[in-house]
Amino acid sequence: MRRGTNEGNYLIEIDGITAVRAMKVSGGKVNHTPTLTSEGNKPNPHVARGTYEIDELSVQQASALNNTGREFFLWLFGFIKGVSLERRGFRLVILEEDGQTPVEVWDYSGCVPVSIQPDDRSARGSNSASYTFTLKPSDVSPIL
């Protein structure tokens, strides 16, 4: 039986290293457009596998956990500015309520940054700096 998750239980791994913790992740829907093929004088077409596309993935209130996380955020800014045009992949790990046990794992490959913005900050707050960023992946694979 699968248990639930709660906010803040999302980890992002870059090159196998846990680099970012996020409070919310949304998007990533896979859209499939089937191919229709007419056969002879048959009145209805044959439906077959066509093409697919993955929607943008939004990661909100994301904080770097180590140097790899900081490098990831620098890559986001660098790609948008044209400094580093390397597409990156990352693994999204969705954790159980205990914050330790993986519930689902998704691999996103060929990602291109769409946007990045610093989250609101307050002089009274004691939270670390966080960002919201959006990526457009080329492909996705569920692992668990």
Side-chain angles (χ1 to χ4, degrees), residues 52-64:
Y52 68 94
E53 180 180 2
I54 296 98
D55 283 349
E56 295 175 355
L57 187 74
S58 177
V59 179
Q60 299 168 9
Q61 295 177 330
S63 299

Side-chain angles (χ1 to χ4, degrees), residues 43-106:
N44 59 326
H46 176 73
V47 181
R49 187 189 72 78
T51 60
Y52 68 94
E53 180 180 2
I54 296 98
D55 283 349
E56 295 175 355
L57 187 74
S58 177
V59 179
Q60 299 168 9
Q61 295 177 330
S63 299
L65 296 176
N66 51 35
N67 282 338
T68 304
R70 284 185 281 284
E71 289 171 13
F72 178 71
F73 284 109
L74 289 174
W75 168 78
L76 291 170
F77 283 107
F79 191 98
I80 290 170
K81 291 181 176 184
V83 175
S84 170
L85 299 179
E86 175 189 3
R87 293 172 178 253
R88 300 285 302 260
F90 74 90
R91 178 173 284 172
L92 173 64
V93 180
I94 303 167
L95 300 174
E96 210 170 79
E97 290 175 350
D98 64 8
Q100 303 293 318
T101 310
V103 175
E104 290 181 30
V105 179
W106 295 81

Side-chain angles (χ1 to χ4, degrees), residues 1 8 16 38 52 55 62 99 110 124-125 131 136:
M1 182 172 157
S38 297
Y52 68 94
D55 283 349
R124 295 181 189 187
Y131 295 86
K136 175 73 172 168

